Amino acid sequence: MTISNGEMHAFLYRNGQMIDLGGLPDAQFSTSTNSIGFSPPQLVSSASGINNWGQIVGEATANNGAIHAFLCSEGTMIDLNRLVRLTHVNGPPGFLVLIGANGINDLGQIVGAGTFWDGRQQATRAFLLDLPHELLPSRDYFPLP
């Protein structure tokens, strides 16, 4: 992890350099202060999987303070919750939020966990998400060696 402005970020180590992946766009990151005035950084992003195209998945703090699953592709971090239709409590069964992404393969299939509403209660469940065609690496994009 890197520490930037007191925030912990996921990074990619490539060709001898650490590349800071940052956080989710439009997210508001904050730190908490304890009784002696020390402000420890709050987790902003954590990577957990990468494919041969250099697409990275993990979890990051969203603007409401919740943890959301992300994809970082060609230098842009995307909240995976923006790619799916979510439900709400007392709504139809479905995911309330995708919390974290654990892995991604070269076909753009992402596995992770989220909070699922079954119509009566919430539970943590696994998900499999196929990336839309426009988020798959372009043929001009150079894969990782």
Side-chain angles (χ1 to χ4, degrees):
M1 92 183 72
T2 65
I3 297 183
S4 172
N5 298 327
E7 300 166 349
M8 289 184 271
H9 294 179
F11 71 92
L12 171 65
Y13 185 78
R14 180 190 234 173
N15 298 325
Q17 293 185 331
M18 289 177 62
I19 301 166
D20 186 343
L21 299 182
L24 289 170
D26 302 323
Q28 301 167 358
F29 306 115
S30 62
T31 58
S32 59
T33 304
N34 65 18
S35 61
I36 59 171
F38 175 71
S39 297
Q42 184 178 36
L43 177 67
V44 174
S45 62
S46 173
S48 55
I50 187 169
N51 65 13
N52 287 317
W53 294 102
Q55 293 178 303
I56 301 165
V57 295
E59 58 186 41
T61 306
N63 60 1
N64 62 0
I67 303 296
H68 283 194
F70 77 79
L71 164 72
C72 188
S73 183
E74 298 184 20
T76 302
M77 189 177 283
I78 301 162
D79 186 338
L80 291 181
N81 288 278
R82 294 178 182 234
L83 302 181
V84 297
R85 173 175 260 154
L86 299 171
T87 192
H88 54 86
V89 174
N90 297 324
F95 279 97
L96 299 168
V97 63
L98 303 181
I99 299 168
N102 299 22
I104 182 169
N105 66 19
D106 293 341
L107 299 174
Q109 296 174 312
I110 299 172
V111 294
T115 303
F116 189 83
W117 172 253
D118 69 4
R120 293 186 318 252
Q121 62 184 3
Q122 298 179 35
T124 301
R125 294 226 179 129
F127 70 81
L128 169 64
L129 173 65
D130 290 313
L131 286 178
H133 180 71
E134 59 270 11
L135 289 178
L136 296 176
S138 66
R139 292 178 187 223
D140 298 331
Y141 188 71
F142 187 75
L144 290 177

